[in-house]
Amino acid sequence: MIEVNSHGARLPSPQLTVFVVDDDAAVLGSLRFLLETDGFAVRTFRSGTALLNVSGATGPDCYVIDYKMPDINGIELTGRLRKSDRDAPVVLITGYPDENISARAATAGIKDVVLKPLLDENLVKCIRHAIQDRPRA
């Protein structure tokens, strides 16, 4: 949808923000590049704890969270975010898929699980769909 002001001029679309959490600096760098190239504002975090310690800032439109991290796994982190009233959608990424990860993610309210290293347009589509399908207050 294109917004137009009272003079018929196109208004810029607000930039969507994605918070990315992964303990691998190379993954953070490549995801930042991918998402910024697609027009997202991106903020990265090297751990779940670093994300949880952020306060006062406006939250993201979507989180991209790695499943396997040393301090807290992505599903547990999602639960902690929900308990602190952070309800933006989450896309879980993992290089360690197992047969139950999608079911555990769904139980935590995560609709999409994307496998590494296939973090390309599939991830961007998942993020856009998650934001679009997010219930509005």
Side-chain angles (χ1 to χ4, degrees), residues 28-130:
L28 286 177
S30 65
L31 288 180
R32 176 184 290 281
F33 178 78
L34 171 70
L35 297 174
E36 286 179 346
T37 300
D38 208 71
F40 293 100
V42 179
R43 186 161 176 196
T44 59
F45 302 87
R46 292 284 307 264
S47 69
T49 303
L51 173 64
L52 292 171
N53 288 333
V54 170
S55 64
T58 303
D61 294 289
C62 186
Y63 294 96
V64 173
I65 301 175
D66 185 27
Y67 172 67
K68 191 168 186 148
M69 296 182 287
D71 62 337
I72 182 173
N73 78 44
I75 293 173
E76 292 168 351
L77 177 57
T78 299
R80 302 242 332 247
L81 290 170
R82 298 300 181 245
K83 286 180 183 175
S84 62
D85 284 335
R86 299 185 199 177
D87 63 350
V90 173
V91 175
L92 191 70
I93 58 175
T94 185
Y96 302 93
D98 66 45
E99 59 193 42
N100 298 318
I101 195 166
S102 292
R104 289 194 319 268
T107 300
I110 302 169
K111 291 183 182 179
D112 295 301
V113 178
V114 180
L115 299 179
K116 293 178 184 179
L118 306 175
L119 304 176
D120 54 7
E121 284 303 309
N122 187 34
L123 177 62
V124 172
K125 287 178 190 176
C126 287
I127 292 169
R128 292 207 180 276
H129 285 134

